[in-house]
Amino acid sequence: MSGRSRALSGILGALLMLTAGACDVRPGAGDRPLDGLRIMVPNTAGGGYDTTARTVARVLEETSTASDVQVFNLPGAGGTVGLQRIVDERGNKDLALQMGLGVVGATHVSHGTATVEQTTPIARLIDEPGAIVVRKDSPYRTIGDLIGTWRKDPAGLRVGGGSSPGGPDHLLPMELARTIGIDPKKVHYVAYDGGGGDLLPALLDGKVDFATSGFGEFLDQIDAGQLRVLAVTSERPVAALHGVPTLKASGIPLVFDNWRGIVAPPGIGAAARRRWIDALTTLHGSRQWKAELTRHGWTDAFATGDTFKAFLAQQDRAVAGLVAELGLN
């Protein structure tokens, strides 16, 4: 596999480790549940960030780690509207942002003033491979069928994704196109806000020919037979998608993983940062969270504190280079 095709996944793999030493502090059994926590989702309801944030809130409550955790949506500009809000909320110890690779990418495309390095890193939660998805009546039965048609007419196929330019759903088809010999600039990419939000009906209604997104957002429709996954972008097959090949197994040398995590506003102080980290560490160790990982097909990628901070810095540099290479900045 070429270094270019694994610009993101290589960094993910190198830093995908548990931080047991840095994350073994948990609230005591006698502690009262945290109250007043709010998690901002920087895209529409139904998308990957939204699903993750609401799952986090529910498990925090189910484990009595926090009570009445509020989740709200503030979509716009690929997540950078939410990022700007977090940066502007300096010192707000009760607010956090559900974010991931898409927000990092959007900062390098939208040229906004807020950056992820201005936030307070709390925790990386999960990894999720991408998927190449079509509706049930699509003429493309295999990834080979799709690639064959796409090569003949790159601009003729509409590729849908649940992120703005620079986000994972956008970078994935660009990397896939380049890997199979298509000029990324010829790809007809159509952006929607949130994979399971606006992208899902567009895919089901035939407004796009195929979608590139995290498969966890489509599991209900996949199980119901409304959608079909042609391939996943992980190193190994995904247990939740029995019989679906990886791109590598299909002869396409590309591995691409997405991730999601939580950051807080700048200037919240060490004690408030510790409170968030302890709460998410308790969540990570719970049977409820482990069950959610299985249910959504998520990969545990838990890392907190300085480890997550270093990961964010590495991701920022890697995405900046990829965006520049694709001519998106």
Side-chain angles (χ1 to χ4, degrees):
M1 178 185 305
S2 70
R4 292 197 310 172
S5 66
R6 300 194 59 177
L8 297 179
S9 57
I11 288 174
L12 288 172
L15 288 162
L16 186 60
M17 58 185 177
L18 298 178
T19 54
C23 309
D24 57 0
V25 181
R26 288 178 168 81
D31 289 349
R32 296 176 59 186
L34 299 175
D35 188 38
L37 300 184
R38 304 174 73 216
I39 302 175
M40 185 197 313
V41 176
N43 62 10
T44 56
Y49 291 156
D50 187 71
T51 300
T52 307
R54 294 183 190 280
T55 301
V56 167
R58 177 163 46 79
V59 174
L60 286 174
E61 293 176 358
E62 288 176 354
T63 57
S64 299
T65 306
S67 62
D68 193 26
V69 181
Q70 297 182 26
V71 178
F72 68 99
N73 299 78
L74 185 64
T80 57
V81 171
L83 179 63
Q84 184 67 62
R85 167 75 177 273
I86 277 289
V87 171
D88 290 344
E89 290 275 349
R90 183 178 183 84
N92 187 342
K93 60 184 177 59
D94 296 323
L95 181 65
L97 175 71
Q98 178 68 67
M99 53 81 70
L101 179 59
V103 173
V104 177
T107 63
H108 292 285
V109 175
S110 67
H111 305 293
T113 58
T115 68
V116 292
E117 291 188 343
Q118 293 174 283
T119 68
T120 300
I122 301 298
R124 185 181 69 205
L125 299 173
I126 63 169
D127 244 0
E128 183 182 39
I132 315 301
V133 186
V134 297
R135 60 188 182 280
K136 65 178 181 180
D137 59 348
S138 169
Y140 310 114
R141 306 297 301 181
T142 68
I143 188 64
D145 294 340
L146 175 64
I147 294 304
T149 301
W150 202 20
R151 278 178 172 147
K152 293 176 183 176
D153 186 12
L157 294 188
R158 296 158 298 175
V159 187
S163 60
S164 300
D169 292 1
H170 174 249
L171 295 178
L172 171 53
M174 299 301 164
E175 283 284 83
L176 177 58
R178 185 167 58 181
T179 302
I180 63 173
I182 294 174
D183 182 353
K185 294 179 181 179
K186 294 182 179 180
V187 174
H188 184 181
Y189 178 78
V190 185
Y192 294 89
D193 198 347
D198 296 341
L199 175 59
L200 177 58
L203 181 58
L204 291 172
D205 293 343
K207 294 180 179 178
V208 295
D209 296 292
F210 68 99
T212 53
S213 189
F215 69 87
E217 300 167 42
F218 301 134
L219 275 178
D220 290 343
Q221 290 73 29
I222 293 168
D223 291 341
Q226 295 175 290
L227 298 176
R228 186 167 64 253
V229 181
L230 301 184
V232 290
T233 66
S234 49
E235 185 76 37
R236 298 177 180 83
V238 174
L241 298 174
H242 181 70
V244 175
T246 64
L247 289 175
K248 283 182 65 177
S250 304
I252 302 169
L254 176 64
V255 174
F256 186 101
D257 290 316
N258 189 13
W259 58 270
R260 298 189 191 121
I262 288 178
V263 298
I268 63 170
R273 185 189 191 197
R274 187 77 251 171
R275 182 182 70 153
W276 272 107
I277 290 176
D278 288 350
L280 293 177
T281 299
T282 299
L283 170 138
H284 172 252
S286 70
R287 60 176 177 78
Q288 292 95 329
W289 181 249
K290 290 178 173 60
E292 293 295 339
L293 293 177
T294 300
R295 185 165 77 91
H296 293 285
W298 295 335
T299 300
D300 185 6
F302 193 65
T304 66
D306 289 341
T307 300
F308 182 40
K309 181 178 180 180
F311 174 82
L312 278 177
Q314 291 279 6
Q315 283 287 283
D316 194 55
R317 289 192 295 270
V319 173
L322 185 57
V323 166
E325 190 174 351
L326 292 172
L328 299 173
N329 56 353

